[in-house]
Amino acid sequence: MGAEAKIRDLVTAMEAGGEQQPTIQETEGGKLTSSAAVAAAPSIPRSPISINISLPLPQMKPHVVELCKDLFKKWSSLDSSCFSLETVSGGITNQLLKVSVTKANDHDAVLTVRLYGPNTDLVIDRERELQALPHLSAAGFGAELLGLFQNGMVQSFINARTLSPSDMSNPMIAAEIARELRRFHQVEIPGSREPQLWHDVHKFLEKAQTLEFDDSEKQARYDEISFKEIHDEVDDLKDLAHLLNAPVVFSHNDLLSGNLMLNDKEVPEKLYFIDFEYGSYSYRGYDIANHFNEYAGYECDYTLYPGKDAQYHFFRNYLQPDAPHEVPDTDLNDLYVETSTFRLASHVYWALWALIQAKMSPIDFDYLGYFFLRYNEYKKHKDDCFSLARKYLSGSSIS
């Protein structure tokens, strides 16, 4: 697998009724591990079955068929030949399977089975995800949640193409993403509305600074990292961001091209947001800036971060979808400073995420190198972004 393909796997990773089963309790191998997680989706059928994500597809099929029959009793008598599987995508966060069910004298059914990657509970709050999913689905986002099992979920299948990184910078598509993101940010999810960004960053930092590697070369590279420096940087950035009083919204937090799908055969075209594993209440500017960072694509070319004109085009369609050219300059400037500041937070977040993956992930990828790539991007843009925010906070013009 070449470097570009490995990065595609990495980034895509950060990218379907039946009788109700008993509550799933905590197990060593499962990811749906608490009664609170189950309570988040009480009407969804669930199964105690766990599927080994490392199995080749032919060996995995009998287990997936068993799962489907357990979750959906109307299929319990179907022969296994009625079920077909194919891989949609894979990565450390998920493996996605398309499951087609052919029934005599009936329409075919198509589902998506999402298998959680190993150790993803270290970076993903599954309870938080399950709390949000029914509400996002009701608002028309993502696939419908159809079933839960020990290490994954079953959802409806979305018939659309996954966007490429270059699609996101297309002005027409960018405008549609902005409009949909505004609508996403208006969804209300029950529970605490305390922004989770800094909580998650500190959680990652606490885990990242206590790692030990069996590989001596990895350990030597890891030992180069100054966690005191990172602590100080995070504190300074948090203090500065706090002064901006950025609006808190329920954020996707991982809006890369792999989590955007477009059905361009519909009229009008239909854009889908998918994969809400990292979703939480957070800052509006963070979600937008994190999306802008994903313009870098699978090759992590951060020179592709959108320029000011492209950002303002996005902001206009986000702030006032029905009349984008009537957005006041002050509102555009506010959001520009906001996203410029949280652009830095995005780099820190995924840098620390990468350190944890360097220890826990079985994928063949240079996560330590990815840490340095993201952290160096933070340091590269820190002075300019801090200067812009301080100038703005002082009341000076930023035009």
Side-chain angles (χ1 to χ4, degrees):
M1 181 182 294
E4 181 177 346
K6 291 176 184 176
I7 294 175
R8 180 174 291 109
D9 280 348
L10 166 67
V11 180
T12 302
M14 310 220 330
E15 10 171 63
E19 294 179 5
Q20 183 149 326
Q21 302 294 327
T23 297
I24 300 170
Q25 299 299 325
E26 184 166 359
T27 61
E28 184 176 351
K31 297 295 183 260
L32 183 61
T33 57
S34 75
S35 58
V38 172
S43 63
I44 302 297
R46 50 187 57 87
S47 170
I49 290 173
S50 179
I51 297 176
N52 185 346
I53 193 172
S54 67
L55 291 175
L57 200 60
Q59 295 180 31
M60 191 181 290
K61 180 180 176 179
H63 302 286
V64 175
V65 170
E66 180 189 9
L67 170 68
C68 291
K69 290 184 176 185
D70 191 41
L71 285 173
F72 312 111
K73 303 306 180 185
K74 61 184 179 180
W75 295 339
S76 59
S77 62
L78 290 180
D79 188 81
S80 61
S81 62
C82 296
F83 297 82
S84 62
L85 271 66
E86 59 184 283
T87 300
V88 178
S89 67
I92 183 55
T93 305
N94 300 319
Q95 181 174 354
L96 296 181
L97 303 175
K98 178 182 177 182
V99 180
S100 301
V101 186
T102 304
K103 301 164 288 181
N105 303 317
D106 202 350
H107 295 294
D108 291 353
V110 184
L111 309 172
T112 300
V113 174
R114 177 150 65 104
L115 299 171
Y116 303 149
N119 302 312
T120 52
D121 54 323
L122 295 175
V123 292
I124 294 171
D125 187 332
R126 296 296 179 190
E127 291 181 15
R128 194 162 72 189
E129 179 187 13
L130 287 176
Q131 176 74 19
L133 270 174
H135 302 278
L136 294 170
S137 179
F141 290 101
E144 181 184 0
L145 178 62
L146 300 179
L148 299 168
F149 57 102
Q150 259 194 35
N151 64 326
M153 63 177 62
V154 180
Q155 296 173 283
S156 60
F157 182 79
I158 295 176
N159 187 19
R161 71 175 180 91
T162 303
L163 294 190
S164 67
S166 60
D167 284 327
M168 298 193 302
S169 61
N170 178 302
M172 291 183 64
I173 295 178
E176 182 60 22
I177 294 171
R179 291 189 288 265
E180 277 295 281
L181 187 58
R182 175 185 177 86
R183 198 168 70 81
F184 188 93
H185 286 168
Q186 292 173 334
V187 177
E188 295 188 1
I189 307 298
S192 171
R193 299 194 178 190
E194 184 72 19
Q196 296 299 300
L197 172 62
W198 303 114
H199 167 79
D200 289 346
V201 167
H202 282 289
K203 180 179 69 175
F204 287 1
L205 183 51
E206 182 179 349
K207 291 174 180 174
Q209 66 187 1
T210 59
L211 302 175
E212 292 183 5
F213 294 89
D214 296 331
D215 184 287
S216 59
E217 183 179 345
K218 284 186 177 181
Q219 186 64 45
R221 295 175 70 194
Y222 174 81
D223 289 340
E224 297 173 12
I225 301 167
S226 170
F227 287 101
K228 181 183 184 306
E229 176 186 288
I230 297 175
H231 270 286
D232 292 343
E233 295 291 347
V234 168
D235 288 344
D236 289 347
L237 181 56
K238 180 180 177 181
D239 289 344
L240 180 64
H242 178 74
L243 297 175
L244 298 176
N245 294 314
V248 175
V249 294
F250 190 83
S251 302
H252 187 286
N253 296 325
D254 192 25
L255 205 59
L256 68 159
S257 63
N259 288 334
L260 292 162
M261 301 184 73
L262 181 68
N263 187 332
D264 42 21
K265 296 180 181 179
E266 290 188 38
V267 180
E269 295 180 344
K270 172 65 176 174
L271 179 72
Y272 295 91
F273 288 6
I274 64 169
D275 200 347
F276 312 125
E277 291 182 310
Y278 293 92
S280 70
Y281 275 97
S282 191
Y283 301 97
R284 172 186 70 173
Y286 175 82
D287 211 14
I288 297 173
N290 190 72
H291 172 65
F292 286 166
N293 273 335
E294 295 298 344
Y295 279 44
Y298 305 127
E299 295 183 348
C300 301
D301 180 1
Y302 291 102
T303 64
L304 297 176
Y305 191 90
K308 191 173 182 180
D309 289 345
Q311 290 185 52
Y312 275 41
H313 170 71
F314 189 99
F315 298 157
R316 289 188 182 95
N317 285 278
Y318 174 89
L319 292 169
Q320 209 160 309
D322 295 331
H325 296 293
E326 297 178 10
V327 178
D329 288 345
T330 53
D331 292 351
L332 294 172
N333 292 338
D334 289 347
L335 193 46
Y336 179 66
V337 173
E338 204 178 303
T339 53
S340 295
T341 305
F342 282 106
R343 171 188 189 179
L344 300 176
S346 168
H347 285 308
V348 172
Y349 179 99
W350 293 112
L352 293 170
W353 173 92
L355 279 182
I356 298 170
Q357 299 289 38
K359 173 64 177 178
M360 302 300 176
S361 173
I363 196 172
D364 180 19
F365 180 79
D366 183 10
Y367 285 104
L368 280 175
Y370 191 72
F371 162 81
F372 287 108
L373 175 68
R374 296 302 296 258
Y375 191 54
N376 286 339
E377 280 297 310
Y378 166 84
K379 292 191 287 188
K380 178 179 178 180
H381 297 285
K382 175 192 171 182
D383 288 346
D384 287 344
C385 292
F386 268 61
S387 176
L388 176 69
R390 287 168 176 157
K391 185 177 180 181
Y392 167 83
L393 290 166
S394 72
S396 301
S397 172
I398 63 165
S399 299

